[in-house]
Amino acid sequence: MTLAERIENSKTSIFKAVFPNTTNHYDTLFGGTAMHLMDEVAFITATRFSRQIMVTVSSDRIDFKKPIPAGTIIELIGKVNHVGNTSLKVNVEIYIEQMYSEGRELAVHGDFTFVAIDENKKPVQVIK
């Protein structure tokens, strides 16, 4: 399998409904909840790419472009955008969809770096 095929096969997409228990006093998704969901999608993407133990080592930048209101549907999309020797980077985007109308818009995007480790927690090659 080529690197491009491996990247495409590891692309991860998850949908969630934004319920009031995940929102702040402005009725928008808590930023920390968005970051938690993004890290989870990034982890799944990194693991699907490498099929090894992967750990988050950094979130390089997370940009909040639009608030995410309660009562919307969000899609989180993770895609590997850089592969190193023992690490890789995953870009995650969150899109907002209204429940009862067409269209979607980018709300948040960010990059996460992961390292592949062995059973002794030592870095190993991302691609075996």
Side-chain angles (χ1 to χ4, degrees):
M1 180 182 315
T2 68
L3 181 60
E5 290 170 328
R6 197 169 183 150
I7 288 170
E8 186 58 34
N9 290 343
S10 66
K11 186 175 174 185
T12 301
S13 178
I14 294 175
F15 290 87
K16 296 274 193 184
V18 180
F19 292 115
N21 66 326
T22 61
T23 62
N24 58 29
H25 58 290
Y26 298 114
D27 283 334
T28 60
L29 188 68
F30 278 114
T33 301
M35 291 166 55
H36 167 88
L37 293 169
M38 292 173 78
D39 188 37
E40 184 177 335
V41 168
F43 166 76
I44 293 168
T45 304
T47 302
R48 292 179 72 209
F49 177 87
S50 69
R51 298 295 177 179
Q52 298 186 78
I53 301 169
M54 301 296 290
V55 294
T56 308
V57 295
S58 75
S59 55
D60 302 335
R61 180 179 178 125
I62 298 174
D63 292 319
F64 294 85
K65 300 294 189 185
K66 294 195 172 286
I68 301 172
T72 57
I73 298 166
I74 56 172
E75 180 182 16
L76 296 101
I77 302 170
K79 186 172 181 183
V80 173
N81 63 3
H82 176 77
V83 179
N85 187 28
T86 60
S87 66
L88 58 80
K89 289 189 181 225
V90 177
N91 177 262
V92 179
E93 298 176 325
I94 301 179
Y95 290 89
I96 306 169
E97 294 183 15
Q98 299 302 319
M99 285 197 187
Y100 308 111
S101 60
E102 296 295 322
R104 60 194 258 138
E105 54 189 335
L106 179 64
V108 184
H109 63 89
D111 294 305
F112 295 79
T113 303
F114 288 81
V115 169
I117 60 171
D118 64 16
E119 59 279 348
N120 298 312
K121 299 181 175 55
K122 301 292 183 205
V124 295
Q125 297 249 334
V126 171
I127 301 175
K128 289 185 178 182

